[in-house]
Amino acid sequence: MDSLSFHIRPPTIPSQSSISPSVSTRYTLPLKIHALKKPSSHVYSKRHRLHSDVEVRSVAVRSALDEVSVLDPPSPSESEEGKRELIASLKLNLLSVVSGLNRGLAASEDDLQKADAAAKELEAAGGQVDLPNDIDKLQGRWKLIYSSAFSSRTLGGSRPGPPTGRLLPITLGQVFQRIDVLSKDFDNIVELELGAPWPLPPLEVTSTLSHKFELIGSAKIKITFEKTTVKTTGNLSQLPPFEIPRIPDALRPPSNTGSGEFEVTYLDADTRITRGDRGELRVFVIS
């Protein structure tokens, strides 16, 4: 070990005469001196190449990032807004397709196909219906604006029913569904005008087919018939309603069991689409 000696002279402070400027302090510090080894040319060259490669890669990555434009995904609010606009457009298209068809009574085969295609587009955009969670959306009085079954020109659609405008002078008025999610009441309300021999005026009546309903799965509804009530309107509205006797089950035709099933394929606060167990397409709006 080598030792180095240093003579350190404290600074002179003029304002303090008690400290002599000639006083010096001697310090001895032991220091280890090692010879510095110069790296070999092979190691130096390898490190230099590694450093150069890192710099080149870094420059390449920065250059690539500068050239690539990264698009941020749309926010949930923008996505939901786009879906709402799409659904509103598809609903308007469906309503325009079925308007003027007299709820389906005046529909041709081409009209039926166009209405079915427009309904399928809206059903696809709306997604799967979840009635157990959206049961409150069923509540209310719904007005039927289209039924594919009415193109058969009978009130029963694909099921047996009285003809319209043929043997019997029956004019179909408005059709409604009244649904109460608490009592499970499901009523089909049909306004009819029955022709009478001249000079008697036509008889206006409202027929209510009362049912109970239950949910089957996530989107299906089963209804069970209970009774039919008829109430006169117009000039004879003062007459009390009367109940039509129910046909005994033994005499009931197999096609009319008193119950039925259908699937709710689209549902929101003001529009509902259903498809029956016999392929009947119905479109309702809240009234």
Side-chain angles (χ1 to χ4, degrees):
M1 179 185 295
D2 297 331
S3 298
L4 298 180
S5 298
F6 296 92
H7 291 277
I8 302 175
R9 182 183 299 277
T12 302
I13 303 176
S15 60
Q16 297 181 359
S17 57
S18 60
I19 301 176
S20 174
S22 61
V23 176
S24 62
T25 305
R26 181 182 179 88
Y27 297 92
T28 302
L29 299 178
L31 295 178
K32 291 183 178 180
I33 300 177
H34 300 280
L36 298 178
K37 296 182 179 180
K38 182 178 179 180
S40 65
S41 59
H42 174 70
V43 175
Y44 178 79
S45 176
K46 185 175 181 181
R47 291 179 179 177
H48 179 71
R49 288 198 305 271
L50 179 60
H51 182 69
S52 300
D53 291 344
V54 171
E55 287 185 345
V56 170
R57 293 173 184 174
S58 178
V59 171
V61 170
R62 289 196 300 268
S63 177
L65 291 176
D66 291 340
E67 294 179 0
V68 175
S69 58
V70 180
L71 298 179
D72 295 331
S75 63
S77 59
E78 293 175 352
S79 178
E80 288 296 325
E81 181 64 25
K83 183 177 180 180
R84 285 194 294 267
E85 292 179 356
L86 174 62
I87 288 178
S89 175
L90 294 177
K91 285 168 63 174
L92 181 61
N93 178 59
L94 176 60
L95 295 178
S96 64
V97 168
V98 301
S99 64
L101 298 181
N102 192 16
R103 286 145 296 168
L105 290 169
S108 64
E109 187 62 31
D110 184 58
D111 295 326
L112 294 176
Q113 294 178 3
K114 289 181 179 178
D116 186 73
K120 286 181 177 178
E121 289 183 344
L122 181 55
E123 291 165 344
Q128 179 66 36
V129 175
D130 187 4
L131 289 180
N133 290 326
D134 294 335
I135 187 67
D136 291 342
K137 293 182 179 179
L138 286 176
Q139 180 72 31
R141 191 169 184 256
W142 297 84
K143 180 180 179 181
L144 176 70
I145 62 173
Y146 174 78
S147 171
S148 61
F150 282 174
S151 63
S152 65
R153 308 300 191 271
T154 71
L155 298 182
S158 58
R159 294 179 171 86
T164 60
R166 292 182 180 178
L167 300 177
L168 297 178
I170 300 177
T171 301
L172 179 65
Q174 301 296 334
V175 179
F176 301 92
Q177 281 185 349
R178 183 174 55 210
I179 304 175
D180 191 325
V181 298
L182 296 179
S183 63
K184 302 300 182 181
D185 289 332
F186 191 103
D187 300 333
N188 287 324
I189 304 171
V190 182
E191 297 177 355
L192 298 171
E193 185 180 278
L194 307 178
W198 187 87
L200 297 177
L203 179 62
E204 298 177 358
V205 300
T206 298
S207 178
T208 302
L209 287 74
S210 302
H211 301 77
K212 289 292 184 179
F213 82 92
E214 60 179 313
L215 301 182
I216 304 176
S218 63
K220 282 190 176 182
I221 293 178
K222 179 181 179 180
I223 59 174
T224 303
F225 175 78
E226 290 193 326
K227 63 181 179 179
T228 299
T229 305
V230 177
K231 177 71 174 68
T232 56
T233 59
N235 296 330
L236 300 177
S237 59
Q238 69 275 9
L239 297 177
F242 62 94
E243 183 177 330
I244 297 178
R246 182 177 179 178
I247 301 175
D249 294 340
L251 301 177
R252 193 185 303 273
S255 59
N256 186 8
T257 61
S259 63
E261 298 178 6
F262 61 88
E263 183 177 4
V264 180
T265 54
Y266 178 82
L267 178 65
D268 63 19
D270 55 29
T271 305
R272 177 164 56 95
I273 300 176
T274 66
R275 292 186 180 270
D277 51 5
R278 299 194 181 187
E280 179 183 5
L281 170 65
R282 291 186 177 186
V283 181
F284 297 86
V285 294
I286 200 72
S287 65

